Amino acid sequence: MSYHKRFFTFFLLLVGLFCVAGNSYVYLGADTTKKLFYASNNEIYSPDKNDLLYFQKGNIFYSGATEDRSNIFLLSSSMDFNSNDLEALYEKDNRYPTYSFSENKLYLGKTESSEFKARNELVHVQRAKKWLAFYSTYNDSLIGFYAADSLPSSAAIIVAYTLARKLNLENKIKAKQNILPFDDAPFATIKPIIGNQTVNEWIWDGKLLRPRWNIDQRLVWTFDGQTAKPLYGNNVYDQYTWDGENFKPSWRSDNSKEWSWDGSQIKPVWGNDPANVYVIESGVVRPSTGGHPEKEWRMEGNIPVPVLILILSGTARPY
């Protein structure tokens, strides 16, 4: 299975994400050796399929295999995870909703304001052609995935809830809320100003560069301050060295792959096309001559120059 968010391209969908039936495993993180559940229609089983952990009937999730009041686990105002309305999710014996959800997102608490949603979003779900991925919103990391194209909506609710609880996302998002703006940004992003932003958006977390909406681990790059290379694979010809001014292949001589940085401009060593000479101004990475909007990028946060070169040169590919 892929790492984080190209074997399949992700699209954020507001409709059609879930179906009424489905049978497959739910995995923890991006690791296919770590099974969280086996989902079968409206039933959630242990990874070995032997024990029925939860099942849904009406607007109630029961634990175990018996529809009994003592086995009520969660109550929900709706079983439509994609509901346009903010739906309430109650834990057993609680008078007030602990969580809420709408439009494929799980929130802490329940308040209708847009400010609340921005501050309290815990989990969001996205779809690929054959996968459903669950992401932690506070740092946009992949926390689980369902190995089929459509998961029953009721099952998606219990999976999102379980991941939020298991990974203690409530405390993590509260800790993030106590950080001053820009004091400790968890990641940076860059995407083209025009064109297909969904496919071509990248995320940098200080160690890894990856397409933001694609979980294929073969597209992920690492950079440690000196060496840039794919996260997976051992082809030495895919490794690049950075000395603070020059970016070039580590184990071969190829001028067409070399770039430089003089403190103000990023440009290839080989060739004289002014459209490939980039500057960074007010969060925009663009050709220094202007007139090429199709080559302009919007950057949020700080991304090291050699990581930018991976993107600008096309060395790092989003699919």
Side-chain angles (χ1 to χ4, degrees):
M1 176 55 191
S2 308
Y3 181 81
H4 288 312
K5 297 184 192 161
R6 163 134 177 210
F7 191 61
F8 298 106
T9 302
F10 274 102
F11 299 95
L12 180 61
L13 298 182
L14 297 180
V15 295
L17 197 61
F18 304 107
C19 64
V20 296
N23 299 274
S24 189
Y25 286 105
V26 177
Y27 295 92
L28 187 62
D31 191 343
T32 54
T33 66
K34 295 181 179 179
K35 296 174 181 176
L36 181 67
F37 293 137
Y38 179 77
S40 178
N41 301 329
N42 67 332
E43 298 176 336
I44 302 293
Y45 290 84
S46 59
D48 59 11
K49 303 183 185 180
N50 290 332
D51 299 315
L52 178 59
L53 301 179
Y54 310 104
F55 70 95
Q56 170 260 330
K57 185 172 183 180
N59 280 11
I60 299 176
F61 291 99
Y62 294 91
S63 59
T66 305
E67 183 186 338
D68 186 88
R69 184 178 180 84
S70 62
N71 289 340
I72 292 176
F73 183 63
L74 293 173
L75 293 90
S76 179
S77 61
S78 170
M79 286 296 165
D80 181 8
F81 198 47
N82 185 47
S83 171
N84 289 326
D85 297 323
L86 189 64
E87 305 293 349
L89 192 61
Y90 298 82
E91 294 179 307
K92 182 178 180 179
D93 298 329
N94 283 3
R95 295 179 58 188
Y96 301 100
T98 311
Y99 298 93
S100 57
F101 59 87
S102 71
E103 297 180 319
N104 308 324
K105 298 176 182 179
L106 180 73
Y107 301 95
L108 176 64
K110 185 179 187 295
T111 304
E112 296 287 349
S113 73
S114 57
E115 180 182 356
F116 155 80
K117 289 184 176 181
R119 287 173 54 84
N120 293 280
E121 183 182 321
L122 297 174
V123 176
H124 59 278
V125 185
Q126 291 168 314
R127 179 184 179 180
K129 292 182 179 179
K130 291 189 177 181
W131 313 101
L132 278 180
F134 293 76
Y135 287 90
S136 166
T137 299
Y138 92 100
N139 67 353
D140 206 42
S141 62
L142 180 69
I143 55 177
F145 71 93
Y146 175 74
D149 59 352
S150 295
L151 180 67
S153 184
S154 61
I157 295 171
I158 197 73
V159 170
Y161 167 85
T162 301
L163 289 169
R165 277 298 197 191
K166 183 178 182 66
L167 301 175
N168 200 22
L169 297 186
E170 177 179 344
N171 287 340
K172 290 179 179 179
I173 201 167
K174 286 181 177 179
K176 180 184 176 182
Q177 290 172 357
N178 291 329
I179 297 174
L180 294 174
F182 312 113
D183 188 42
D184 185 22
F187 57 83
T189 61
I190 185 171
K191 59 185 176 182
I193 291 179
I194 64 173
N196 194 329
Q197 296 181 341
T198 301
V199 171
N200 292 298
E201 184 171 2
W202 293 86
I203 185 167
W204 165 253
D205 66 7
K207 295 180 181 179
L208 301 176
L209 173 71
R210 61 178 175 84
R212 185 165 190 174
W213 308 116
N214 192 321
I215 62 174
D216 189 351
Q217 58 191 354
R218 293 171 299 178
L219 303 177
V220 180
W221 286 74
T222 68
F223 177 64
D224 60 9
Q226 294 182 322
T227 302
K229 61 182 180 180
L231 179 63
Y232 290 92
N234 54 9
N235 186 348
V236 296
Y237 293 130
D238 287 335
Q239 294 184 18
Y240 293 81
T241 299
W242 170 251
D243 63 8
E245 296 180 0
N246 301 292
F247 180 89
K248 60 184 180 180
S250 301
W251 302 101
R252 58 188 167 127
S253 179
D254 186 346
N255 289 341
S256 67
K257 299 291 185 180
E258 294 185 22
W259 287 64
S260 68
W261 163 250
D262 62 5
S264 61
Q265 294 183 336
I266 305 171
K267 58 185 178 181
V269 172
W270 185 266
N272 56 6
D273 185 349
N276 289 330
V277 179
Y278 291 86
V279 294
I280 306 171
E281 293 180 347
S282 302
V284 174
V285 183
R286 63 170 183 80
S288 60
T289 56
H292 298 279
E294 77 284 357
K295 303 188 76 170
E296 294 184 1
W297 298 74
R298 171 71 65 185
M299 183 169 59
E300 300 287 345
N302 296 316
I303 300 178
V305 167
V307 176
L308 289 176
I309 291 173
L310 285 173
I311 300 168
L312 298 175
S313 66
T315 301
R317 302 183 306 276
Y319 49 84

